[in-house]
Amino acid sequence: MEQTQFTFDQLPNAVWQLTKEVEALKVLLLQKSQPVEPDRWFDLSELCAYLPEKATKPTVYGWVHSSLIPVHKRGKKLYFLKSEIDLWLKEGRKKTYAETAAEANDYLKRKGGRNGR
């Protein structure tokens, strides 16, 4: 296997890229290790009971109104798909300092940076 040489300036971006690849591998491993469960629909009450923080109905209505939570609407009834809710919950993870710094560095590189960098 060929080794790639990185300059010091390229290192944050390389670490960020490696972190993304490791995250993708973790997702694949988790998918393979967990038994496949058929997706299911929640009504509002079922969703409130399912959420880790046991949110109240008014709280969920606020999230729906603000388009913060994935929702399906049939007439006046709200429905939530378990797989979408699980993904939404996972996306709420806060980024580490290293991830944020690498993204900022990547952004600056794409935008040409400052001070001629």
Side-chain angles (χ1 to χ4, degrees):
M1 182 162 48
E2 181 180 325
Q3 290 186 345
T4 305
Q5 298 294 323
F6 293 103
T7 66
F8 183 76
D9 290 335
Q10 294 171 323
L11 194 55
N13 192 36
V15 170
W16 179 78
Q17 195 68 23
L18 184 59
T19 302
K20 287 293 187 190
E21 290 178 16
V22 168
E23 284 295 320
L25 286 172
K26 282 173 34 177
V27 168
L28 287 173
L29 286 172
L30 284 173
Q31 288 173 348
K32 289 197 179 271
S33 67
Q34 295 175 353
V36 176
E37 179 183 312
D39 214 355
R40 66 175 280 220
W41 290 95
F42 294 135
D43 64 18
L44 184 59
S45 297
E46 291 170 322
L47 176 71
C48 290
Y50 178 74
L51 291 172
E53 68 273 8
K54 307 299 181 215
T56 63
K57 289 181 181 182
T59 298
V60 175
Y61 278 126
W63 293 341
V64 168
H65 179 73
S66 301
S67 299
L68 295 175
I69 190 168
V71 63
H72 299 264
K73 192 172 181 185
R74 279 289 235 192
K76 293 184 177 184
K77 288 206 62 146
L78 301 177
Y79 298 97
F80 305 88
L81 196 55
K82 182 182 180 297
S83 61
E84 293 176 350
I85 295 302
D86 289 341
L87 183 61
W88 175 72
L89 288 168
K90 289 176 186 174
E91 288 173 349
R93 181 183 78 85
K94 292 185 85 172
K95 294 178 182 171
T96 65
Y97 176 77
E99 289 171 329
T100 304
E103 285 180 10
N105 189 37
D106 186 47
Y107 175 81
L108 289 174
K109 283 183 179 179
R110 283 185 281 125
K111 294 297 179 182
R114 297 196 173 250
N115 302 328
R117 286 187 220 174

